[in-house]
Amino acid sequence: MTDNQTVQAYTDAWTQSIESISELVTPLPEDSWNRATECPGWSVRDVVSHVIAIESELLGDPRPIHSLPRDLRHVTTEFARYIELPVDKRRCHTSVELTGELEYTIIRRSRALRNARQTPDESVRWPAGPHSRDVPYHELLRRRAFDVWVHEQDLRRALDVPGNLDAPGALVSRDVLLELLPKAVAHQAGAPAGTALVVDVTGPVEFLRTVRVDTGGRGTVDESISLAPDVQLTMDWETYLRLACGRGRPGPVAVEGDRELAARVLANFAVTL
């Protein structure tokens, strides 16, 4: 694809996922908004509030003035405080208020994306509090497509309404998570130099990848097949997603090879929250 086609693909993936969130939560009864999700400390209401907050900030809306309670156990870092503030601010909002704000935010953000004049590689500000930085425009769109689709899945699991596991956002998320897989294996799990680890993922999104750790301890991932890997992990796509995003207790993983190394990798598989 051309750079402009890539930008459009990320925009389309974001649109499909955020509109799916709106369709999912708009008819919910009030008590369903308080269901816990696999995001630590967050309910359905909180996940929706987070999606609204990030998109609003990208639109240039001012962050709310609000003091966080001191007893939020899941808030342990400055970045977590940054993310939590607009979520906590909305905890007193009714479901009607939140669905209305979400719908209005989608309209505004969709219009802004249609009218955007940034080139794919133009630097734009990624709003992340203490981690804010400049990123290429196409990367910001990719990260938003990823984040919104992952949170759509958080909501679907909490509400027991599965779906869209093979949506455009799923393919974006696969690529984002695979880029981070060498970090989980080489750095977080400390796999030794020379390690070859195969991940075989089945289900709506299928792929097979090999992570190799070089003599300098650096991990890389590719599509080549290793005939005798040190470890092979076989799992379905939703299990891979939940493991890589640090979500709860995922489904079963079939392990072949070095079981001690496999256990370290699985214990350190999360690359994002």
Side-chain angles (χ1 to χ4, degrees):
M1 292 190 294
T2 67
D3 288 345
N4 286 331
Q5 287 173 326
T6 298
V7 164
Q8 189 60 52
Y10 293 153
T11 301
D12 291 345
W14 172 88
T15 300
Q16 196 272 341
S17 294
I18 202 165
E19 289 182 350
S20 293
I21 288 175
S22 182
E23 292 169 5
L24 183 66
V25 302
T26 295
L28 288 179
E30 193 69 38
D31 59 347
S32 293
W33 286 79
N34 296 320
R35 288 195 189 182
T37 72
E38 290 178 338
C39 299
W42 279 7
S43 64
V44 166
R45 175 189 311 278
D46 297 333
V47 171
V48 174
S49 294
H50 168 67
V51 170
I52 293 170
I54 297 299
E55 299 301 336
S56 296
E57 191 159 353
L58 288 169
L59 283 163
D61 293 352
R63 282 174 58 80
I65 298 173
H66 181 65
S67 296
L68 280 179
R70 296 182 178 273
D71 60 349
L72 299 176
R73 295 182 179 180
H74 59 285
V75 179
T76 58
T77 66
E78 281 305 307
F79 178 67
R81 290 184 62 82
Y82 178 86
I83 293 296
E84 189 75 17
L85 189 146
V87 171
D88 189 69
K89 175 71 172 178
R90 289 176 170 84
R91 286 196 168 112
C92 62
H93 291 194
T94 67
S95 59
V96 173
E97 288 172 326
L98 282 175
T99 54
E101 187 180 13
L102 176 61
E103 182 178 0
Y104 185 49
T105 301
I106 293 171
I107 292 170
R108 293 174 63 214
R109 186 80 174 113
S110 298
R111 183 186 302 121
L113 289 170
R114 285 196 305 271
N115 295 334
R117 294 293 178 263
Q118 292 92 340
T119 61
D121 292 324
E122 184 175 338
S123 289
V124 294
R125 196 65 174 165
W126 174 258
H131 302 302
S132 293
R133 64 192 186 279
D134 290 339
V135 298
Y137 180 61
H138 70 85
E139 179 61 19
L140 183 144
L141 295 180
R142 184 172 84 131
R143 297 296 296 192
R144 291 313 303 143
F146 163 70
D147 188 62
V148 172
W149 181 82
V150 168
H151 284 312
E152 179 196 344
Q153 294 305 312
D154 289 329
L155 294 169
R156 288 187 177 280
R157 286 193 300 275
L159 297 167
D160 196 22
V161 185
N164 285 346
L165 278 167
D166 58 352
L171 303 182
V172 175
S173 299
R174 173 201 60 193
D175 294 344
V176 169
L177 293 173
L178 280 172
E179 284 184 9
L180 298 170
L181 180 59
K183 172 186 174 183
V185 175
H187 299 288
Q188 295 174 191
T195 294
L197 180 141
V198 169
V199 176
D200 186 3
V201 174
T202 62
V205 176
E206 294 186 342
F207 54 88
L208 188 148
R209 297 290 190 276
T210 301
V211 177
R212 305 176 196 278
V213 183
D214 65 19
T215 55
R218 178 176 176 270
T220 57
V221 62
D222 58 57
E223 298 184 36
S224 63
I225 298 174
S226 178
L227 298 179
D230 298 280
V231 175
Q232 178 164 327
L233 305 175
T234 302
M235 66 193 84
D236 65 31
W237 167 229
E238 189 169 16
T239 296
Y240 183 92
L241 166 69
R242 293 175 69 199
L243 275 170
C245 294
R247 301 300 202 254
R249 297 181 179 180
V253 177
V255 175
E256 298 178 36
D258 186 336
R259 302 191 75 84
E260 190 277 331
L261 176 57
R264 287 211 317 270
V265 170
L266 290 171
N268 292 277
F269 209 81
V271 291
T272 184
L273 292 175

Coordinates of all heavy atoms in Angstrom, one line a residue, residues 168-238:
P168 N -10.7 -5.3 11.1 CA -9.5 -4.6 10.6 C -8.6 -4.2 11.8 O -7.4 -4.3 11.7 CB -10.0 -3.4 9.9 CG -11.3 -3.9 9.4 CD -11.9 -4.8 10.4
G169 N -9.2 -3.8 12.9 CA -8.4 -3.5 14.1 C -7.6 -4.6 14.7 O -6.6 -4.5 15.3
A170 N -8.1 -5.9 14.5 CA -7.4 -7.1 14.9 C -6.1 -7.2 14.2 O -5.1 -7.6 14.7 CB -8.3 -8.3 14.8
L171 N -6.1 -7.0 12.9 CA -4.9 -7.1 12.1 C -3.9 -6.1 12.4 O -2.7 -6.3 12.4 CB -5.3 -7.1 10.6 CG -6.3 -8.1 10.1 CD1 -6.6 -8.0 8.6 CD2 -5.9 -9.5 10.5
V172 N -4.4 -4.8 12.7 CA -3.5 -3.8 13.1 C -2.8 -4.2 14.5 O -1.6 -4.1 14.7 CB -4.2 -2.4 13.3 CG1 -3.3 -1.4 13.9 CG2 -4.7 -2.0 11.9
S173 N -3.7 -4.7 15.4 CA -3.2 -5.1 16.7 C -2.2 -6.3 16.6 O -1.2 -6.3 17.3 CB -4.4 -5.5 17.6 OG -5.3 -4.4 17.7
R174 N -2.5 -7.2 15.7 CA -1.5 -8.3 15.5 C -0.1 -7.8 15.2 O 0.9 -8.2 15.8 CB -2.0 -9.2 14.4 CG -1.0 -10.3 14.0 CD -1.3 -10.8 12.5 NE -1.2 -9.7 11.6 CZ -1.6 -9.8 10.3 NH1 -2.2 -10.9 9.9 NH2 -1.5 -8.7 9.5
D175 N -0.1 -6.8 14.3 CA 1.2 -6.3 13.8 C 1.9 -5.5 15.0 O 3.1 -5.6 15.2 CB 1.0 -5.4 12.6 CG 0.6 -6.2 11.4 OD1 0.7 -7.4 11.4 OD2 0.1 -5.6 10.4
V176 N 1.1 -4.7 15.7 CA 1.7 -3.9 16.8 C 2.3 -4.9 17.9 O 3.4 -4.7 18.3 CB 0.6 -3.0 17.5 CG1 1.1 -2.4 18.8 CG2 0.2 -1.9 16.5
L177 N 1.5 -5.9 18.2 CA 2.0 -6.8 19.3 C 3.1 -7.7 18.8 O 4.0 -8.0 19.6 CB 0.8 -7.7 19.7 CG -0.3 -7.0 20.4 CD1 -1.5 -7.9 20.7 CD2 0.2 -6.3 21.7
L178 N 3.2 -8.1 17.5 CA 4.3 -8.8 17.1 C 5.6 -8.0 17.1 O 6.7 -8.6 17.3 CB 4.0 -9.4 15.7 CG 3.1 -10.6 15.6 CD1 2.7 -11.0 14.2 CD2 3.8 -11.8 16.3
E179 N 5.5 -6.8 16.8 CA 6.7 -5.9 16.9 C 7.3 -5.9 18.3 O 8.5 -5.8 18.5 CB 6.4 -4.5 16.5 CG 6.2 -4.3 15.0 CD 6.0 -2.8 14.6 OE1 6.1 -2.0 15.5 OE2 5.6 -2.6 13.4
L180 N 6.4 -6.1 19.3 CA 6.9 -6.0 20.7 C 7.2 -7.4 21.2 O 7.7 -7.5 22.3 CB 5.8 -5.4 21.5 CG 5.4 -3.9 21.2 CD1 4.2 -3.5 21.9 CD2 6.6 -3.0 21.5
L181 N 6.9 -8.4 20.5 CA 7.2 -9.8 21.0 C 8.7 -10.1 21.3 O 8.9 -10.7 22.3 CB 6.7 -10.8 19.9 CG 6.9 -12.3 20.3 CD1 6.1 -12.6 21.6 CD2 6.3 -13.2 19.1
P182 N 9.6 -9.6 20.5 CA 11.0 -9.8 20.9 C 11.4 -9.2 22.2 O 12.2 -9.8 22.9 CB 11.8 -9.2 19.7 CG 10.9 -9.2 18.5 CD 9.5 -9.0 19.1
K183 N 10.8 -8.1 22.6 CA 11.0 -7.5 23.9 C 10.6 -8.5 25.0 O 11.3 -8.6 26.0 CB 10.2 -6.2 24.0 CG 10.3 -5.6 25.4 CD 9.3 -4.3 25.4 CE 9.2 -3.8 26.8 NZ 8.3 -2.6 26.9
A184 N 9.4 -9.1 24.8 CA 9.0 -10.0 25.9 C 9.9 -11.2 26.0 O 10.2 -11.7 27.1 CB 7.6 -10.5 25.5
V185 N 10.4 -11.7 24.9 CA 11.3 -12.9 24.9 C 12.7 -12.6 25.4 O 13.2 -13.2 26.3 CB 11.3 -13.6 23.6 CG1 12.2 -14.8 23.5 CG2 9.8 -14.1 23.2
A186 N 13.3 -11.6 24.7 CA 14.7 -11.4 24.9 C 15.0 -10.6 26.2 O 15.9 -10.9 26.9 CB 15.3 -10.7 23.7
H187 N 14.2 -9.6 26.5 CA 14.5 -8.7 27.6 C 13.7 -9.0 28.8 O 14.2 -9.2 29.9 CB 14.2 -7.2 27.1 CG 15.1 -6.8 26.0 ND1 16.4 -6.5 26.2 CD2 14.8 -6.6 24.7 CE1 16.9 -6.2 25.0 NE2 16.0 -6.2 24.1
Q188 N 12.3 -9.1 28.7 CA 11.5 -9.3 29.9 C 11.7 -10.8 30.4 O 11.8 -11.0 31.6 CB 10.1 -9.1 29.6 CG 9.8 -7.6 29.2 CD 8.4 -7.3 28.8 OE1 8.1 -6.2 28.3 NE2 7.5 -8.2 28.9
A189 N 11.8 -11.8 29.5 CA 12.0 -13.1 30.0 C 13.5 -13.5 30.1 O 13.8 -14.6 30.6 CB 11.3 -14.1 29.0
G190 N 14.4 -12.7 29.5 CA 15.8 -13.0 29.6 C 16.2 -14.2 28.9 O 17.1 -15.0 29.3
A191 N 15.6 -14.5 27.7 CA 16.0 -15.7 26.9 C 17.5 -15.6 26.5 O 17.9 -14.5 26.1 CB 15.1 -15.9 25.7
P192 N 18.3 -16.6 26.7 CA 19.7 -16.5 26.4 C 20.0 -16.4 24.9 O 19.1 -16.7 24.0 CB 20.2 -17.9 26.9 CG 19.1 -18.8 26.9 CD 17.9 -18.0 27.2
A193 N 21.2 -15.9 24.5 CA 21.6 -15.8 23.1 C 21.5 -17.2 22.5 O 21.8 -18.2 23.1 CB 23.0 -15.3 23.1
G194 N 21.0 -17.1 21.2 CA 20.9 -18.4 20.4 C 19.5 -19.0 20.5 O 19.2 -19.9 19.8
T195 N 18.6 -18.4 21.4 CA 17.3 -19.0 21.6 C 16.5 -18.8 20.3 O 16.5 -17.7 19.7 CB 16.6 -18.3 22.8 OG1 17.3 -18.7 24.0 CG2 15.1 -18.7 22.8
A196 N 15.7 -19.8 19.9 CA 14.7 -19.7 18.9 C 13.4 -20.1 19.5 O 13.3 -21.2 20.1 CB 15.0 -20.5 17.7
L197 N 12.4 -19.2 19.5 CA 11.1 -19.5 20.1 C 10.0 -19.3 19.0 O 10.0 -18.2 18.4 CB 10.8 -18.6 21.3 CG 9.5 -18.8 22.0 CD1 9.7 -18.6 23.5 CD2 8.5 -17.7 21.5
V198 N 9.2 -20.3 18.8 CA 8.1 -20.2 17.8 C 6.8 -20.0 18.5 O 6.5 -20.6 19.5 CB 8.1 -21.5 17.0 CG1 6.8 -21.6 16.2 CG2 9.3 -21.6 16.1
V199 N 6.0 -19.1 18.0 CA 4.6 -18.8 18.4 C 3.7 -19.2 17.3 O 3.8 -18.6 16.2 CB 4.4 -17.3 18.9 CG1 3.0 -17.1 19.2 CG2 5.3 -17.0 20.0
D200 N 2.8 -20.2 17.6 CA 1.9 -20.6 16.6 C 0.5 -20.3 17.0 O 0.0 -20.8 18.0 CB 2.0 -22.1 16.4 CG 1.1 -22.7 15.3 OD1 0.5 -21.9 14.6 OD2 1.1 -23.9 15.1
V201 N -0.2 -19.3 16.3 CA -1.4 -18.8 16.8 C -2.5 -19.2 15.8 O -2.4 -19.1 14.6 CB -1.4 -17.2 16.9 CG1 -2.8 -16.7 17.2 CG2 -0.4 -16.8 18.0
T202 N -3.6 -19.7 16.3 CA -4.7 -20.3 15.6 C -6.0 -19.4 15.8 O -6.0 -18.5 16.6 CB -5.0 -21.7 16.0 OG1 -5.5 -21.7 17.3 CG2 -3.8 -22.6 15.8
G203 N -7.0 -19.7 15.0 CA -8.3 -19.0 15.2 C -8.6 -17.9 14.2 O -8.1 -18.0 13.0
P204 N -9.4 -16.9 14.5 CA -9.8 -15.9 13.5 C -8.6 -15.2 12.9 O -8.7 -14.8 11.7 CB -10.6 -14.9 14.3 CG -11.1 -15.7 15.5 CD -10.0 -16.7 15.8
V205 N -7.5 -15.0 13.6 CA -6.3 -14.4 13.1 C -5.2 -15.4 13.3 O -4.8 -15.7 14.4 CB -6.0 -13.1 13.7 CG1 -4.6 -12.5 13.2 CG2 -7.1 -12.0 13.5
E206 N -4.7 -16.0 12.2 CA -3.7 -17.1 12.3 C -2.3 -16.5 11.9 O -2.2 -15.8 10.9 CB -4.1 -18.2 11.4 CG -5.3 -19.0 11.8 CD -5.6 -20.2 11.0 OE1 -4.9 -20.3 9.9 OE2 -6.3 -21.1 11.4
F207 N -1.3 -17.0 12.6 CA 0.0 -16.6 12.2 C 1.0 -17.5 12.9 O 0.7 -18.1 13.9 CB 0.4 -15.2 12.4 CG 0.2 -14.7 13.8 CD1 1.2 -14.8 14.8 CD2 -1.0 -14.1 14.2 CE1 1.0 -14.3 16.0 CE2 -1.2 -13.6 15.5 CZ -0.2 -13.8 16.4
L208 N 2.2 -17.7 12.3 CA 3.3 -18.4 12.9 C 4.6 -17.5 12.8 O 4.9 -17.1 11.7 CB 3.5 -19.8 12.2 CG 4.5 -20.7 12.9 CD1 4.1 -22.2 12.7 CD2 5.9 -20.5 12.4
R209 N 5.2 -17.3 13.9 CA 6.4 -16.4 13.9 C 7.5 -17.0 14.8 O 7.2 -17.8 15.7 CB 6.1 -15.0 14.5 CG 5.1 -14.2 13.7 CD 5.6 -13.8 12.3 NE 4.7 -12.8 11.7 CZ 3.7 -13.2 10.9 NH1 3.4 -14.5 10.8 NH2 2.9 -12.3 10.4
T210 N 8.7 -16.7 14.4 CA 9.9 -17.2 15.2 C 10.6 -16.0 15.8 O 10.9 -15.0 15.0 CB 10.8 -18.0 14.3 OG1 10.1 -19.1 13.8 CG2 12.0 -18.5 15.2
V211 N 10.8 -16.0 17.1 CA 11.7 -15.0 17.7 C 13.1 -15.6 17.9 O 13.2 -16.7 18.4 CB 11.1 -14.6 19.1 CG1 12.1 -13.6 19.8 CG2 9.7 -13.9 18.9
R212 N 14.1 -14.9 17.5 CA 15.5 -15.3 17.6 C 16.2 -14.3 18.4 O 16.1 -13.1 18.2 CB 16.1 -15.5 16.3 CG 15.3 -16.4 15.3 CD 16.0 -16.5 13.9 NE 15.0 -17.1 13.0 CZ 14.8 -18.4 12.8 NH1 15.5 -19.2 13.6 NH2 13.9 -18.8 12.0
V213 N 17.1 -14.8 19.4 CA 17.9 -13.9 20.2 C 19.3 -14.1 19.7 O 19.9 -15.2 19.7 CB 17.8 -14.3 21.7 CG1 18.6 -13.4 22.6 CG2 16.3 -14.3 22.1
D214 N 19.9 -12.9 19.3 CA 21.3 -13.0 18.8 C 22.3 -13.0 19.9 O 22.0 -12.9 21.1 CB 21.5 -11.8 17.8 CG 21.5 -10.5 18.4 OD1 21.6 -10.3 19.6 OD2 21.3 -9.5 17.7
T215 N 23.6 -13.0 19.5 CA 24.7 -13.1 20.5 C 24.8 -11.9 21.4 O 25.3 -11.9 22.5 CB 26.0 -13.3 19.8 OG1 26.2 -12.2 18.8 CG2 26.1 -14.6 19.0
G216 N 24.2 -10.8 21.0 CA 24.2 -9.6 21.8 C 23.0 -9.5 22.7 O 22.8 -8.5 23.4
G217 N 22.1 -10.5 22.7 CA 20.9 -10.5 23.5 C 19.7 -9.8 22.9 O 18.7 -9.5 23.6
R218 N 19.8 -9.4 21.6 CA 18.8 -8.7 20.9 C 17.8 -9.6 20.2 O 18.2 -10.6 19.6 CB 19.4 -7.7 19.9 CG 18.4 -6.9 19.1 CD 19.0 -5.9 18.2 NE 18.1 -5.2 17.4 CZ 17.7 -5.7 16.2 NH1 18.2 -6.8 15.7 NH2 16.8 -5.0 15.5
G219 N 16.6 -9.4 20.4 CA 15.5 -10.3 19.8 C 15.0 -9.7 18.5 O 14.9 -8.5 18.3
T220 N 14.7 -10.6 17.6 CA 14.1 -10.2 16.3 C 13.0 -11.2 16.0 O 13.0 -12.4 16.6 CB 15.1 -10.2 15.1 OG1 15.7 -11.5 15.0 CG2 16.1 -9.1 15.3
V221 N 12.0 -10.9 15.2 CA 10.9 -11.8 14.9 C 10.8 -11.8 13.4 O 10.9 -10.8 12.7 CB 9.6 -11.3 15.5 CG1 9.2 -9.9 15.1 CG2 8.5 -12.3 15.3
D222 N 10.5 -13.0 12.8 CA 10.3 -13.2 11.4 C 9.4 -14.3 11.1 O 8.9 -15.0 12.1 CB 11.7 -13.4 10.7 CG 12.4 -14.6 11.2 OD1 11.8 -15.8 11.2 OD2 13.6 -14.5 11.7
E223 N 9.0 -14.5 9.9 CA 8.1 -15.5 9.5 C 8.7 -16.8 9.1 O 8.0 -17.8 8.7 CB 7.2 -15.0 8.3 CG 6.4 -13.8 8.6 CD 5.5 -13.3 7.5 OE1 5.0 -14.2 6.8 OE2 5.3 -12.1 7.3
S224 N 10.0 -16.9 9.2 CA 10.7 -18.2 8.8 C 10.4 -19.3 9.8 O 10.1 -19.0 11.0 CB 12.2 -18.0 8.7 OG 12.7 -17.6 9.9
I225 N 10.4 -20.5 9.4 CA 10.1 -21.7 10.2 C 11.4 -22.2 10.8 O 12.3 -22.5 10.1 CB 9.4 -22.7 9.4 CG1 8.0 -22.2 8.9 CG2 9.1 -24.0 10.3 CD1 7.3 -23.1 7.9
S226 N 11.4 -22.4 12.1 CA 12.5 -23.0 12.8 C 12.1 -24.5 13.0 O 11.1 -24.8 13.7 CB 12.7 -22.3 14.2 OG 13.8 -23.0 14.9
L227 N 12.9 -25.4 12.5 CA 12.6 -26.8 12.6 C 12.8 -27.4 14.0 O 12.2 -28.4 14.3 CB 13.4 -27.6 11.5 CG 13.1 -27.2 10.1 CD1 14.0 -28.0 9.1 CD2 11.7 -27.4 9.7
A228 N 13.7 -26.8 14.7 CA 13.9 -27.4 16.1 C 14.1 -26.2 17.1 O 15.2 -26.0 17.6 CB 15.2 -28.2 16.1
P229 N 13.0 -25.5 17.3 CA 13.1 -24.4 18.2 C 13.3 -24.8 19.7 O 12.9 -25.9 20.0 CB 11.7 -23.7 18.1 CG 10.8 -24.8 17.7 CD 11.6 -25.7 16.8
D230 N 13.8 -23.9 20.5 CA 14.0 -24.2 21.9 C 12.6 -24.3 22.6 O 12.5 -25.1 23.5 CB 14.8 -23.1 22.6 CG 16.2 -23.1 22.0 OD1 17.1 -23.9 22.3 OD2 16.4 -22.2 21.1
V231 N 11.7 -23.5 22.1 CA 10.3 -23.5 22.7 C 9.3 -23.3 21.6 O 9.6 -22.4 20.7 CB 10.2 -22.4 23.7 CG1 8.7 -22.3 24.2 CG2 11.1 -22.6 24.9
Q232 N 8.2 -24.0 21.6 CA 7.1 -23.6 20.7 C 5.9 -23.4 21.6 O 5.5 -24.3 22.4 CB 6.8 -24.7 19.7 CG 5.6 -24.4 18.8 CD 5.5 -25.2 17.5 OE1 6.6 -25.5 17.0 NE2 4.3 -25.5 17.1
L233 N 5.2 -22.3 21.4 CA 4.0 -22.0 22.1 C 2.8 -22.0 21.1 O 2.9 -21.2 20.1 CB 4.1 -20.6 22.8 CG 5.2 -20.4 23.8 CD1 5.3 -19.0 24.3 CD2 5.2 -21.4 24.9
T234 N 1.8 -22.8 21.4 CA 0.6 -22.8 20.5 C -0.6 -22.4 21.3 O -0.9 -22.9 22.4 CB 0.4 -24.2 19.9 OG1 1.6 -24.7 19.3 CG2 -0.8 -24.2 19.0
M235 N -1.3 -21.4 20.7 CA -2.5 -20.8 21.4 C -3.4 -20.2 20.4 O -3.1 -20.0 19.2 CB -2.1 -19.8 22.4 CG -1.4 -18.5 21.8 SD -0.6 -17.4 23.0 CE 1.0 -18.2 23.1
D236 N -4.6 -19.9 20.8 CA -5.6 -19.2 19.9 C -5.3 -17.7 20.0 O -4.6 -17.2 20.9 CB -7.0 -19.6 20.2 CG -7.5 -19.2 21.5 OD1 -7.1 -18.1 22.0 OD2 -8.4 -19.8 22.1
W237 N -5.9 -17.0 19.0 CA -5.7 -15.6 18.9 C -6.1 -14.8 20.1 O -5.4 -13.9 20.5 CB -6.4 -15.1 17.6 CG -6.6 -13.6 17.4 CD1 -7.7 -13.0 17.1 CD2 -5.5 -12.6 17.5 NE1 -7.5 -11.6 17.0 CE2 -6.2 -11.4 17.2 CE3 -4.2 -12.6 17.8 CZ2 -5.5 -10.2 17.2 CZ3 -3.5 -11.4 17.8 CH2 -4.1 -10.2 17.5
E238 N -7.3 -15.1 20.7 CA -7.7 -14.3 21.8 C -6.8 -14.6 23.0 O -6.5 -13.6 23.8 CB -9.2 -14.7 22.2 CG -9.7 -13.8 23.3 CD -11.2 -13.9 23.4 OE1 -11.8 -14.9 23.0 OE2 -11.8 -13.0 24.0

